[in-house]
PDB file of all heavy atoms in Angstrom:
ATOM      1  N   ARG A 101     -67.721-161.704 -79.316  1.00 98.00           N
ATOM      2  CA  ARG A 101     -68.096-161.338 -80.684  1.00 98.00           C
ATOM      3  C   ARG A 101     -69.447-161.932 -81.022  1.00 98.00           C
ATOM      4  O   ARG A 101     -69.676-163.113 -80.773  1.00 98.00           O
ATOM      5  CB  ARG A 101     -67.019-161.877 -81.622  1.00 98.00           C
ATOM      6  CG  ARG A 101     -67.279-161.695 -83.071  1.00 98.00           C
ATOM      7  CD  ARG A 101     -66.089-162.138 -83.898  1.00 98.00           C
ATOM      8  NE  ARG A 101     -64.932-161.269 -83.718  1.00 98.00           N
ATOM      9  CZ  ARG A 101     -63.883-161.235 -84.525  1.00 98.00           C
ATOM     10  NH1 ARG A 101     -63.838-162.036 -85.561  1.00 98.00           N
ATOM     11  NH2 ARG A 101     -62.872-160.422 -84.302  1.00 98.00           N
ATOM     12  N   HIS A 103     -71.476-162.702 -84.275  1.00 97.00           N
ATOM     13  CA  HIS A 103     -71.352-162.675 -85.731  1.00 97.00           C
ATOM     14  C   HIS A 103     -71.827-164.021 -86.274  1.00 97.00           C
ATOM     15  O   HIS A 103     -71.555-165.061 -85.661  1.00 97.00           O
ATOM     16  CB  HIS A 103     -69.881-162.425 -86.132  1.00 97.00           C
ATOM     17  CG  HIS A 103     -69.706-162.005 -87.556  1.00 97.00           C
ATOM     18  ND1 HIS A 103     -69.704-162.906 -88.590  1.00 97.00           N
ATOM     19  CD2 HIS A 103     -69.528-160.780 -88.121  1.00 97.00           C
ATOM     20  CE1 HIS A 103     -69.541-162.251 -89.734  1.00 97.00           C
ATOM     21  NE2 HIS A 103     -69.432-160.966 -89.481  1.00 97.00           N
ATOM     22  N   LEU A 114     -58.627-166.195 -81.524  1.00 98.00           N
ATOM     23  CA  LEU A 114     -58.745-164.855 -80.922  1.00 98.00           C
ATOM     24  C   LEU A 114     -58.322-164.889 -79.450  1.00 98.00           C
ATOM     25  O   LEU A 114     -57.708-163.951 -78.949  1.00 98.00           O
ATOM     26  CB  LEU A 114     -60.192-164.350 -81.078  1.00 98.00           C
ATOM     27  CG  LEU A 114     -60.606-164.013 -82.521  1.00 98.00           C
ATOM     28  CD1 LEU A 114     -62.120-163.862 -82.632  1.00 98.00           C
ATOM     29  CD2 LEU A 114     -59.922-162.735 -83.013  1.00 98.00           C
ATOM     30  N   MET A 118     -55.111-162.988 -77.645  1.00 98.00           N
ATOM     31  CA  MET A 118     -55.248-162.191 -76.401  1.00 98.00           C
ATOM     32  C   MET A 118     -54.151-162.552 -75.401  1.00 98.00           C
ATOM     33  O   MET A 118     -53.623-161.686 -74.697  1.00 98.00           O
ATOM     34  CB  MET A 118     -56.625-162.410 -75.760  1.00 98.00           C
ATOM     35  CG  MET A 118     -57.779-161.728 -76.462  1.00 98.00           C
ATOM     36  SD  MET A 118     -57.569-159.960 -76.721  1.00 98.00           S
ATOM     37  CE  MET A 118     -57.454-159.352 -75.050  1.00 98.00           C
ATOM     38  N   LYS A 121     -51.127-160.802 -76.690  1.00 98.00           N
ATOM     39  CA  LYS A 121     -51.275-159.338 -76.594  1.00 98.00           C
ATOM     40  C   LYS A 121     -51.099-158.851 -75.156  1.00 98.00           C
ATOM     41  O   LYS A 121     -50.385-157.878 -74.893  1.00 98.00           O
ATOM     42  CB  LYS A 121     -52.678-158.976 -77.094  1.00 98.00           C
ATOM     43  CG  LYS A 121     -52.893-157.527 -77.405  1.00 98.00           C
ATOM     44  CD  LYS A 121     -54.319-157.308 -77.907  1.00 98.00           C
ATOM     45  CE  LYS A 121     -54.636-158.185 -79.112  1.00 98.00           C
ATOM     46  NZ  LYS A 121     -56.021-157.972 -79.603  1.00 98.00           N
ATOM     47  N   LYS A 133     -61.503-165.478 -75.006  1.00 98.00           N
ATOM     48  CA  LYS A 133     -62.382-164.851 -75.996  1.00 98.00           C
ATOM     49  C   LYS A 133     -63.695-165.593 -76.006  1.00 98.00           C
ATOM     50  O   LYS A 133     -63.759-166.765 -75.618  1.00 98.00           O
ATOM     51  CB  LYS A 133     -61.752-164.928 -77.397  1.00 98.00           C
ATOM     52  CG  LYS A 133     -62.307-163.905 -78.378  1.00 98.00           C
ATOM     53  CD  LYS A 133     -61.606-162.552 -78.248  1.00 98.00           C
ATOM     54  CE  LYS A 133     -62.158-161.541 -79.214  1.00 98.00           C
ATOM     55  NZ  LYS A 133     -61.314-160.320 -79.252  1.00 98.00           N
ATOM     56  N   LYS A 141     -77.926-158.098 -86.259  1.00 95.00           N
ATOM     57  CA  LYS A 141     -78.733-157.139 -87.045  1.00 95.00           C
ATOM     58  C   LYS A 141     -80.135-157.700 -87.325  1.00 95.00           C
ATOM     59  O   LYS A 141     -81.052-156.951 -87.657  1.00 95.00           O
ATOM     60  CB  LYS A 141     -78.026-156.813 -88.365  1.00 95.00           C
ATOM     61  CG  LYS A 141     -76.717-156.057 -88.151  1.00 95.00           C
ATOM     62  CD  LYS A 141     -76.058-155.672 -89.479  1.00 95.00           C
ATOM     63  CE  LYS A 141     -74.705-155.037 -89.264  1.00 95.00           C
ATOM     64  NZ  LYS A 141     -73.669-156.002 -88.822  1.00 95.00           N
ATOM     65  N   PRO A 172     -66.087-155.836 -75.016  1.00 95.00           N
ATOM     66  CA  PRO A 172     -66.700-155.770 -76.354  1.00 95.00           C
ATOM     67  C   PRO A 172     -65.747-156.205 -77.460  1.00 95.00           C
ATOM     68  O   PRO A 172     -64.532-156.094 -77.338  1.00 95.00           O
ATOM     69  CB  PRO A 172     -67.038-154.282 -76.529  1.00 95.00           C
ATOM     70  CG  PRO A 172     -66.900-153.656 -75.190  1.00 95.00           C
ATOM     71  CD  PRO A 172     -65.918-154.492 -74.436  1.00 95.00           C
ATOM     72  N   ASP A 173     -66.324-156.718 -78.536  1.00 95.00           N
ATOM     73  CA  ASP A 173     -65.589-156.998 -79.776  1.00 95.00           C
ATOM     74  C   ASP A 173     -66.575-156.714 -80.915  1.00 95.00           C
ATOM     75  O   ASP A 173     -67.486-155.886 -80.733  1.00 95.00           O
ATOM     76  CB  ASP A 173     -65.060-158.447 -79.775  1.00 95.00           C
ATOM     77  CG  ASP A 173     -64.076-158.715 -80.913  1.00 95.00           C
ATOM     78  OD1 ASP A 173     -62.947-158.224 -80.844  1.00 95.00           O
ATOM     79  OD2 ASP A 173     -64.439-159.399 -81.883  1.00 95.00           O
ATOM     80  N   VAL A 174     -66.434-157.401 -82.031  1.00 94.00           N
ATOM     81  CA  VAL A 174     -67.282-157.101 -83.183  1.00 94.00           C
ATOM     82  C   VAL A 174     -68.765-157.265 -82.811  1.00 94.00           C
ATOM     83  O   VAL A 174     -69.169-158.302 -82.273  1.00 94.00           O
ATOM     84  CB  VAL A 174     -66.915-158.025 -84.373  1.00 94.00           C
ATOM     85  CG1 VAL A 174     -67.891-157.848 -85.531  1.00 94.00           C
ATOM     86  CG2 VAL A 174     -65.484-157.739 -84.832  1.00 94.00           C
ATOM     87  N   ASN A 175     -69.544-156.237 -83.082  1.00 96.00           N
ATOM     88  CA  ASN A 175     -70.997-156.213 -82.851  1.00 96.00           C
ATOM     89  C   ASN A 175     -71.417-156.292 -81.385  1.00 96.00           C
ATOM     90  O   ASN A 175     -72.572-156.604 -81.094  1.00 96.00           O
ATOM     91  CB  ASN A 175     -71.705-157.338 -83.631  1.00 96.00           C
ATOM     92  CG  ASN A 175     -71.682-157.105 -85.121  1.00 96.00           C
ATOM     93  OD1 ASN A 175     -71.679-155.958 -85.568  1.00 96.00           O
ATOM     94  ND2 ASN A 175     -71.667-158.170 -85.894  1.00 96.00           N
ATOM     95  N   THR A 176     -70.518-156.029 -80.473  1.00 97.00           N
ATOM     96  CA  THR A 176     -70.927-155.922 -79.059  1.00 97.00           C
ATOM     97  C   THR A 176     -70.446-154.565 -78.536  1.00 97.00           C
ATOM     98  O   THR A 176     -69.497-153.992 -79.058  1.00 97.00           O
ATOM     99  CB  THR A 176     -70.357-157.066 -78.196  1.00 97.00           C
ATOM    100  OG1 THR A 176     -68.945-157.111 -78.353  1.00 97.00           O
ATOM    101  CG2 THR A 176     -70.957-158.404 -78.579  1.00 97.00           C
ATOM    102  N   ARG A 213     -62.238-145.565 -72.718  1.00 95.00           N
ATOM    103  CA  ARG A 213     -62.256-146.971 -73.160  1.00 95.00           C
ATOM    104  C   ARG A 213     -62.779-147.122 -74.585  1.00 95.00           C
ATOM    105  O   ARG A 213     -62.226-147.893 -75.374  1.00 95.00           O
ATOM    106  CB  ARG A 213     -63.089-147.837 -72.192  1.00 95.00           C
ATOM    107  CG  ARG A 213     -63.305-149.285 -72.662  1.00 95.00           C
ATOM    108  CD  ARG A 213     -61.992-150.039 -72.796  1.00 95.00           C
ATOM    109  NE  ARG A 213     -62.139-151.374 -73.363  1.00 95.00           N
ATOM    110  CZ  ARG A 213     -62.138-151.674 -74.657  1.00 95.00           C
ATOM    111  NH1 ARG A 213     -62.020-150.705 -75.568  1.00 95.00           N
ATOM    112  NH2 ARG A 213     -62.250-152.918 -75.070  1.00 95.00           N
ATOM    113  N   VAL A 214     -63.847-146.365 -74.909  1.00 93.00           N
ATOM    114  CA  VAL A 214     -64.470-146.539 -76.218  1.00 93.00           C
ATOM    115  C   VAL A 214     -63.452-146.274 -77.333  1.00 93.00           C
ATOM    116  O   VAL A 214     -63.390-146.986 -78.334  1.00 93.00           O
ATOM    117  CB  VAL A 214     -65.694-145.601 -76.362  1.00 93.00           C
ATOM    118  CG1 VAL A 214     -66.241-145.628 -77.783  1.00 93.00           C
ATOM    119  CG2 VAL A 214     -66.783-146.012 -75.370  1.00 93.00           C
ATOM    120  N   THR A 217     -58.878-148.566 -78.381  1.00 97.00           N
ATOM    121  CA  THR A 217     -58.235-149.434 -79.376  1.00 97.00           C
ATOM    122  C   THR A 217     -57.796-148.604 -80.587  1.00 97.00           C
ATOM    123  O   THR A 217     -56.663-148.718 -81.057  1.00 97.00           O
ATOM    124  CB  THR A 217     -59.179-150.572 -79.803  1.00 97.00           C
ATOM    125  OG1 THR A 217     -59.628-151.234 -78.620  1.00 97.00           O
ATOM    126  CG2 THR A 217     -58.469-151.577 -80.684  1.00 97.00           C
ATOM    127  N   GLN A 244     -60.186-150.391 -93.652  1.00 98.00           N
ATOM    128  CA  GLN A 244     -61.218-151.409 -93.848  1.00 98.00           C
ATOM    129  C   GLN A 244     -61.866-151.709 -92.504  1.00 98.00           C
ATOM    130  O   GLN A 244     -61.184-152.101 -91.549  1.00 98.00           O
ATOM    131  CB  GLN A 244     -60.628-152.702 -94.402  1.00 98.00           C
ATOM    132  CG  GLN A 244     -61.733-153.696 -94.746  1.00 98.00           C
ATOM    133  CD  GLN A 244     -61.275-155.132 -94.790  1.00 98.00           C
ATOM    134  OE1 GLN A 244     -60.419-155.538 -94.022  1.00 98.00           O
ATOM    135  NE2 GLN A 244     -61.860-155.906 -95.678  1.00 98.00           N
ATOM    136  N   GLY A 245     -63.184-151.516 -92.404  1.00 98.00           N
ATOM    137  CA  GLY A 245     -63.875-151.674 -91.121  1.00 98.00           C
ATOM    138  C   GLY A 245     -63.971-150.310 -90.480  1.00 98.00           C
ATOM    139  O   GLY A 245     -62.949-149.691 -90.163  1.00 98.00           O
ATOM    140  N   PHE A 246     -65.203-149.811 -90.346  1.00 97.00           N
ATOM    141  CA  PHE A 246     -65.358-148.449 -89.828  1.00 97.00           C
ATOM    142  C   PHE A 246     -66.210-148.478 -88.569  1.00 97.00           C
ATOM    143  O   PHE A 246     -67.111-147.684 -88.384  1.00 97.00           O
ATOM    144  CB  PHE A 246     -65.992-147.561 -90.914  1.00 97.00           C
ATOM    145  CG  PHE A 246     -65.533-146.137 -90.866  1.00 97.00           C
ATOM    146  CD1 PHE A 246     -64.186-145.825 -90.939  1.00 97.00           C
ATOM    147  CD2 PHE A 246     -66.455-145.096 -90.755  1.00 97.00           C
ATOM    148  CE1 PHE A 246     -63.755-144.503 -90.897  1.00 97.00           C
ATOM    149  CE2 PHE A 246     -66.042-143.775 -90.715  1.00 97.00           C
ATOM    150  CZ  PHE A 246     -64.680-143.485 -90.788  1.00 97.00           C
ATOM    151  N   GLY A 247     -65.901-149.435 -87.693  1.00 95.00           N
ATOM    152  CA  GLY A 247     -66.617-149.551 -86.431  1.00 95.00           C
ATOM    153  C   GLY A 247     -65.823-148.898 -85.319  1.00 95.00           C
ATOM    154  O   GLY A 247     -65.137-147.888 -85.517  1.00 95.00           O
ATOM    155  N   ASN A 248     -65.872-149.520 -84.164  1.00 94.00           N
ATOM    156  CA  ASN A 248     -65.210-148.957 -82.981  1.00 94.00           C
ATOM    157  C   ASN A 248     -63.728-148.683 -83.236  1.00 94.00           C
ATOM    158  O   ASN A 248     -63.221-147.621 -82.898  1.00 94.00           O
ATOM    159  CB  ASN A 248     -65.406-149.943 -81.822  1.00 94.00           C
ATOM    160  CG  ASN A 248     -64.790-149.446 -80.549  1.00 94.00           C
ATOM    161  OD1 ASN A 248     -63.659-149.779 -80.231  1.00 94.00           O
ATOM    162  ND2 ASN A 248     -65.512-148.606 -79.826  1.00 94.00           N
ATOM    163  N   VAL A 249     -63.043-149.617 -83.861  1.00 97.00           N
ATOM    164  CA  VAL A 249     -61.593-149.478 -84.046  1.00 97.00           C
ATOM    165  C   VAL A 249     -61.262-148.585 -85.247  1.00 97.00           C
ATOM    166  O   VAL A 249     -60.538-147.586 -85.129  1.00 97.00           O
ATOM    167  CB  VAL A 249     -60.929-150.870 -84.220  1.00 97.00           C
ATOM    168  CG1 VAL A 249     -59.426-150.733 -84.422  1.00 97.00           C
ATOM    169  CG2 VAL A 249     -61.232-151.758 -83.028  1.00 97.00           C
ATOM    170  N   GLY A 250     -61.801-148.951 -86.415  1.00 98.00           N
ATOM    171  CA  GLY A 250     -61.425-148.256 -87.650  1.00 98.00           C
ATOM    172  C   GLY A 250     -61.821-146.796 -87.669  1.00 98.00           C
ATOM    173  O   GLY A 250     -61.038-145.934 -88.098  1.00 98.00           O
ATOM    174  N   GLN A 268     -63.792-148.950 -96.320  1.00 98.00           N
ATOM    175  CA  GLN A 268     -64.644-150.082 -96.699  1.00 98.00           C
ATOM    176  C   GLN A 268     -65.311-150.626 -95.443  1.00 98.00           C
ATOM    177  O   GLN A 268     -64.650-150.779 -94.412  1.00 98.00           O
ATOM    178  CB  GLN A 268     -63.791-151.187 -97.333  1.00 98.00           C
ATOM    179  CG  GLN A 268     -64.583-152.417 -97.707  1.00 98.00           C
ATOM    180  CD  GLN A 268     -63.697-153.443 -98.422  1.00 98.00           C
ATOM    181  OE1 GLN A 268     -63.218-154.373 -97.824  1.00 98.00           O
ATOM    182  NE2 GLN A 268     -63.478-153.238 -99.703  1.00 98.00           N
ATOM    183  N   ASP A 269     -66.613-150.854 -95.540  1.00 97.00           N
ATOM    184  CA  ASP A 269     -67.281-151.587 -94.451  1.00 97.00           C
ATOM    185  C   ASP A 269     -68.199-152.636 -95.058  1.00 97.00           C
ATOM    186  O   ASP A 269     -68.101-152.897 -96.261  1.00 97.00           O
ATOM    187  CB  ASP A 269     -67.991-150.636 -93.471  1.00 97.00           C
ATOM    188  CG  ASP A 269     -69.260-150.029 -94.045  1.00 97.00           C
ATOM    189  OD1 ASP A 269     -69.596-150.326 -95.223  1.00 97.00           O
ATOM    190  OD2 ASP A 269     -69.925-149.271 -93.328  1.00 97.00           O
ATOM    191  N   HIS A 270     -69.080-153.236 -94.258  1.00 95.00           N
ATOM    192  CA  HIS A 270     -69.887-154.346 -94.800  1.00 95.00           C
ATOM    193  C   HIS A 270     -70.890-153.858 -95.840  1.00 95.00           C
ATOM    194  O   HIS A 270     -71.466-154.660 -96.563  1.00 95.00           O
ATOM    195  CB  HIS A 270     -70.596-155.095 -93.666  1.00 95.00           C
ATOM    196  CG  HIS A 270     -71.711-154.315 -93.038  1.00 95.00           C
ATOM    197  ND1 HIS A 270     -71.495-153.280 -92.160  1.00 95.00           N
ATOM    198  CD2 HIS A 270     -73.049-154.398 -93.183  1.00 95.00           C
ATOM    199  CE1 HIS A 270     -72.656-152.775 -91.785  1.00 95.00           C
ATOM    200  NE2 HIS A 270     -73.607-153.438 -92.383  1.00 95.00           N
ATOM    201  N   THR A 271     -71.087-152.535 -95.953  1.00 97.00           N
ATOM    202  CA  THR A 271     -72.060-152.020 -96.937  1.00 97.00           C
ATOM    203  C   THR A 271     -71.399-151.659 -98.266  1.00 97.00           C
ATOM    204  O   THR A 271     -72.094-151.447 -99.256  1.00 97.00           O
ATOM    205  CB  THR A 271     -72.800-150.775 -96.400  1.00 97.00           C
ATOM    206  OG1 THR A 271     -71.851-149.704 -96.200  1.00 97.00           O
ATOM    207  CG2 THR A 271     -73.524-151.058 -95.092  1.00 97.00           C
ATOM    208  N   GLY A 272     -70.076-151.501 -98.305  1.00 98.00           N
ATOM    209  CA  GLY A 272     -69.426-151.145 -99.567  1.00 98.00           C
ATOM    210  C   GLY A 272     -68.111-150.414 -99.351  1.00 98.00           C
ATOM    211  O   GLY A 272     -67.594-150.335 -98.229  1.00 98.00           O
ATOM    212  N   PRO A 318     -56.325-152.409 -91.782  1.00 98.00           N
ATOM    213  CA  PRO A 318     -57.391-153.402 -91.758  1.00 98.00           C
ATOM    214  C   PRO A 318     -57.993-153.415 -90.354  1.00 98.00           C
ATOM    215  O   PRO A 318     -57.285-153.685 -89.375  1.00 98.00           O
ATOM    216  CB  PRO A 318     -56.668-154.718 -92.087  1.00 98.00           C
ATOM    217  CG  PRO A 318     -55.242-154.490 -91.735  1.00 98.00           C
ATOM    218  CD  PRO A 318     -54.977-153.015 -91.750  1.00 98.00           C
ATOM    219  N   ALA A 319     -59.272-153.093 -90.234  1.00 98.00           N
ATOM    220  CA  ALA A 319     -59.913-153.016 -88.906  1.00 98.00           C
ATOM    221  C   ALA A 319     -61.285-153.667 -88.958  1.00 98.00           C
ATOM    222  O   ALA A 319     -62.254-153.154 -88.393  1.00 98.00           O
ATOM    223  CB  ALA A 319     -60.007-151.560 -88.439  1.00 98.00           C
ATOM    224  N   ALA A 320     -61.373-154.801 -89.684  1.00 97.00           N
ATOM    225  CA  ALA A 320     -62.667-155.505 -89.762  1.00 97.00           C
ATOM    226  C   ALA A 320     -62.507-156.927 -89.210  1.00 97.00           C
ATOM    227  O   ALA A 320     -62.608-157.126 -88.000  1.00 97.00           O
ATOM    228  CB  ALA A 320     -63.173-155.514 -91.204  1.00 97.00           C
ATOM    229  N   LEU A 321     -62.203-157.873 -90.090  1.00 92.00           N
ATOM    230  CA  LEU A 321     -62.185-159.282 -89.669  1.00 92.00           C
ATOM    231  C   LEU A 321     -60.860-159.943 -90.043  1.00 92.00           C
ATOM    232  O   LEU A 321     -59.994-159.328 -90.647  1.00 92.00           O
ATOM    233  CB  LEU A 321     -63.347-160.014 -90.336  1.00 92.00           C
ATOM    234  CG  LEU A 321     -64.746-159.476 -89.962  1.00 92.00           C
ATOM    235  CD1 LEU A 321     -65.801-160.103 -90.856  1.00 92.00           C
ATOM    236  CD2 LEU A 321     -65.071-159.728 -88.488  1.00 92.00           C
ATOM    237  N   GLU A 322     -60.735-161.235 -89.719  1.00 94.00           N
ATOM    238  CA  GLU A 322     -59.503-161.982 -90.007  1.00 94.00           C
ATOM    239  C   GLU A 322     -59.346-162.257 -91.509  1.00 94.00           C
ATOM    240  O   GLU A 322     -60.312-162.189 -92.260  1.00 94.00           O
ATOM    241  CB  GLU A 322     -59.517-163.368 -89.344  1.00 94.00           C
ATOM    242  CG  GLU A 322     -59.625-163.394 -87.863  1.00 94.00           C
ATOM    243  CD  GLU A 322     -61.066-163.448 -87.439  1.00 94.00           C
ATOM    244  OE1 GLU A 322     -61.734-164.462 -87.660  1.00 94.00           O
ATOM    245  OE2 GLU A 322     -61.539-162.441 -86.887  1.00 94.00           O
ATOM    246  N   GLN A 324     -58.038-160.998 -94.159  1.00 98.00           N
ATOM    247  CA  GLN A 324     -58.341-160.065 -95.250  1.00 98.00           C
ATOM    248  C   GLN A 324     -57.162-159.840 -96.178  1.00 98.00           C
ATOM    249  O   GLN A 324     -57.320-159.651 -97.369  1.00 98.00           O
ATOM    250  CB  GLN A 324     -58.813-158.717 -94.669  1.00 98.00           C
ATOM    251  CG  GLN A 324     -60.104-158.833 -93.905  1.00 98.00           C
ATOM    252  CD  GLN A 324     -61.227-159.290 -94.797  1.00 98.00           C
ATOM    253  OE1 GLN A 324     -61.547-158.649 -95.780  1.00 98.00           O
ATOM    254  NE2 GLN A 324     -61.827-160.428 -94.472  1.00 98.00           N
ATOM    255  N   GLY A 341     -55.412-153.065 -87.075  1.00 98.00           N
ATOM    256  CA  GLY A 341     -56.439-152.779 -86.065  1.00 98.00           C
ATOM    257  C   GLY A 341     -57.236-154.030 -85.752  1.00 98.00           C
ATOM    258  O   GLY A 341     -57.581-154.309 -84.604  1.00 98.00           O
ATOM    259  N   ALA A 342     -57.547-154.822 -86.781  1.00 97.00           N
ATOM    260  CA  ALA A 342     -58.290-156.074 -86.591  1.00 97.00           C
ATOM    261  C   ALA A 342     -57.366-157.129 -86.014  1.00 97.00           C
ATOM    262  O   ALA A 342     -56.144-157.001 -86.050  1.00 97.00           O
ATOM    263  CB  ALA A 342     -58.841-156.554 -87.929  1.00 97.00           C
ATOM    264  N   ASN A 343     -57.962-158.202 -85.529  1.00 95.00           N
ATOM    265  CA  ASN A 343     -57.192-159.360 -85.099  1.00 95.00           C
ATOM    266  C   ASN A 343     -57.038-160.312 -86.271  1.00 95.00           C
ATOM    267  O   ASN A 343     -58.017-160.636 -86.951  1.00 95.00           O
ATOM    268  CB  ASN A 343     -57.920-160.073 -83.955  1.00 95.00           C
ATOM    269  CG  ASN A 343     -57.795-159.302 -82.663  1.00 95.00           C
ATOM    270  OD1 ASN A 343     -56.690-158.977 -82.229  1.00 95.00           O
ATOM    271  ND2 ASN A 343     -58.924-158.981 -82.045  1.00 95.00           N
ATOM    272  N   GLY A 344     -55.803-160.729 -86.521  1.00 95.00           N
ATOM    273  CA  GLY A 344     -55.533-161.745 -87.540  1.00 95.00           C
ATOM    274  C   GLY A 344     -55.886-161.364 -88.961  1.00 95.00           C
ATOM    275  O   GLY A 344     -56.313-162.231 -89.727  1.00 95.00           O
ATOM    276  N   ASN A 368     -53.346-153.288 -81.788  1.00 98.00           N
ATOM    277  CA  ASN A 368     -54.688-153.047 -81.248  1.00 98.00           C
ATOM    278  C   ASN A 368     -54.769-153.342 -79.747  1.00 98.00           C
ATOM    279  O   ASN A 368     -55.862-153.532 -79.206  1.00 98.00           O
ATOM    280  CB  ASN A 368     -55.755-153.800 -82.060  1.00 98.00           C
ATOM    281  CG  ASN A 368     -55.688-155.308 -81.899  1.00 98.00           C
ATOM    282  OD1 ASN A 368     -55.306-155.810 -80.844  1.00 98.00           O
ATOM    283  ND2 ASN A 368     -56.074-156.037 -82.926  1.00 98.00           N
ATOM    284  N   ALA A 369     -53.615-153.303 -79.073  1.00 98.00           N
ATOM    285  CA  ALA A 369     -53.594-153.601 -77.630  1.00 98.00           C
ATOM    286  C   ALA A 369     -54.099-152.439 -76.769  1.00 98.00           C
ATOM    287  O   ALA A 369     -54.200-152.573 -75.547  1.00 98.00           O
ATOM    288  CB  ALA A 369     -52.182-153.996 -77.201  1.00 98.00           C
ATOM    289  N   GLY A 371     -57.083-151.264 -76.502  1.00 97.00           N
ATOM    290  CA  GLY A 371     -58.374-151.572 -75.884  1.00 97.00           C
ATOM    291  C   GLY A 371     -58.202-152.376 -74.613  1.00 97.00           C
ATOM    292  O   GLY A 371     -58.769-152.045 -73.561  1.00 97.00           O
ATOM    293  N   VAL A 372     -57.384-153.420 -74.684  1.00 98.00           N
ATOM    294  CA  VAL A 372     -57.228-154.253 -73.478  1.00 98.00           C
ATOM    295  C   VAL A 372     -56.430-153.487 -72.411  1.00 98.00           C
ATOM    296  O   VAL A 372     -56.634-153.692 -71.209  1.00 98.00           O
ATOM    297  CB  VAL A 372     -56.616-155.627 -73.811  1.00 98.00           C
ATOM    298  CG1 VAL A 372     -55.150-155.564 -74.186  1.00 98.00           C
ATOM    299  CG2 VAL A 372     -56.805-156.576 -72.628  1.00 98.00           C
TER     300      VAL A 372
HETATM  301  P1  NAD B 501     -67.280-153.193 -84.901  1.00 77.38           P
HETATM  302  O1  NAD B 501     -68.389-154.162 -84.878  1.00 77.38           O
HETATM  303  O2  NAD B 501     -67.406-151.923 -84.157  1.00 77.38           O
HETATM  304  O3  NAD B 501     -66.938-152.808 -86.441  1.00 77.38           O
HETATM  305  C1  NAD B 501     -66.639-153.770 -87.403  1.00 77.38           C
HETATM  306  C2  NAD B 501     -66.542-153.072 -88.752  1.00 77.38           C
HETATM  307  O4  NAD B 501     -66.136-154.017 -89.737  1.00 77.38           O
HETATM  308  C3  NAD B 501     -67.857-152.465 -89.237  1.00 77.38           C
HETATM  309  O5  NAD B 501     -67.605-151.209 -89.847  1.00 77.38           O
HETATM  310  C4  NAD B 501     -68.325-153.474 -90.290  1.00 77.38           C
HETATM  311  O6  NAD B 501     -69.148-152.868 -91.274  1.00 77.38           O
HETATM  312  C5  NAD B 501     -66.998-153.903 -90.862  1.00 77.38           C
HETATM  313  N1  NAD B 501     -67.080-155.171 -91.580  1.00 77.38           N
HETATM  314  C6  NAD B 501     -67.674-156.317 -91.148  1.00 77.38           C
HETATM  315  N2  NAD B 501     -67.551-157.250 -92.107  1.00 77.38           N
HETATM  316  C7  NAD B 501     -66.874-156.700 -93.116  1.00 77.38           C
HETATM  317  C8  NAD B 501     -66.443-157.147 -94.400  1.00 77.38           C
HETATM  318  N3  NAD B 501     -66.676-158.398 -94.791  1.00 77.38           N
HETATM  319  N4  NAD B 501     -65.748-156.290 -95.198  1.00 77.38           N
HETATM  320  C9  NAD B 501     -65.500-155.040 -94.795  1.00 77.38           C
HETATM  321  N5  NAD B 501     -65.889-154.545 -93.604  1.00 77.38           N
HETATM  322  C10 NAD B 501     -66.562-155.366 -92.786  1.00 77.38           C
HETATM  323  O7  NAD B 501     -65.982-154.017 -84.460  1.00 77.38           O
HETATM  324  P2  NAD B 501     -64.646-153.460 -83.806  1.00 77.38           P
HETATM  325  O8  NAD B 501     -64.805-153.517 -82.344  1.00 77.38           O
HETATM  326  O9  NAD B 501     -64.261-152.181 -84.468  1.00 77.38           O
HETATM  327  O10 NAD B 501     -63.626-154.611 -84.209  1.00 77.38           O
HETATM  328  C11 NAD B 501     -62.972-154.634 -85.481  1.00 77.38           C
HETATM  329  C12 NAD B 501     -61.740-155.513 -85.377  1.00 77.38           C
HETATM  330  O11 NAD B 501     -60.893-155.019 -84.346  1.00 77.38           O
HETATM  331  C13 NAD B 501     -61.994-156.985 -85.022  1.00 77.38           C
HETATM  332  O12 NAD B 501     -61.016-157.789 -85.637  1.00 77.38           O
HETATM  333  C14 NAD B 501     -61.780-157.001 -83.515  1.00 77.38           C
HETATM  334  O13 NAD B 501     -61.444-158.291 -83.032  1.00 77.38           O
HETATM  335  C15 NAD B 501     -60.618-156.047 -83.412  1.00 77.38           C
HETATM  336  N6  NAD B 501     -60.432-155.473 -82.077  1.00 77.38           N
HETATM  337  C16 NAD B 501     -61.421-154.776 -81.464  1.00 77.38           C
HETATM  338  C17 NAD B 501     -61.185-154.225 -80.208  1.00 77.38           C
HETATM  339  C18 NAD B 501     -62.200-153.365 -79.491  1.00 77.38           C
HETATM  340  O14 NAD B 501     -61.862-152.803 -78.445  1.00 77.38           O
HETATM  341  N7  NAD B 501     -63.386-153.198 -79.999  1.00 77.38           N
HETATM  342  C19 NAD B 501     -59.961-154.428 -79.562  1.00 77.38           C
HETATM  343  C20 NAD B 501     -58.962-155.139 -80.231  1.00 77.38           C
HETATM  344  C21 NAD B 501     -59.218-155.653 -81.506  1.00 77.38           C
END
Side-chain angles (χ1 to χ4, degrees):
R101 175 174 292 196
H103 196 279
L114 291 166
M118 286 306 298
K121 195 179 304 180
K133 201 84 180 190
K141 294 183 185 72
D173 191 72
V174 173
N175 291 330
T176 54
R213 173 62 186 87
V214 172
T217 307
Q244 186 202 35
F246 212 56
N248 181 266
V249 180
Q268 178 176 98
D269 73 359
H270 71 284
T271 64
L321 299 170
E322 300 90 68
Q324 296 298 301
N343 285 306
N368 69 31
V372 71

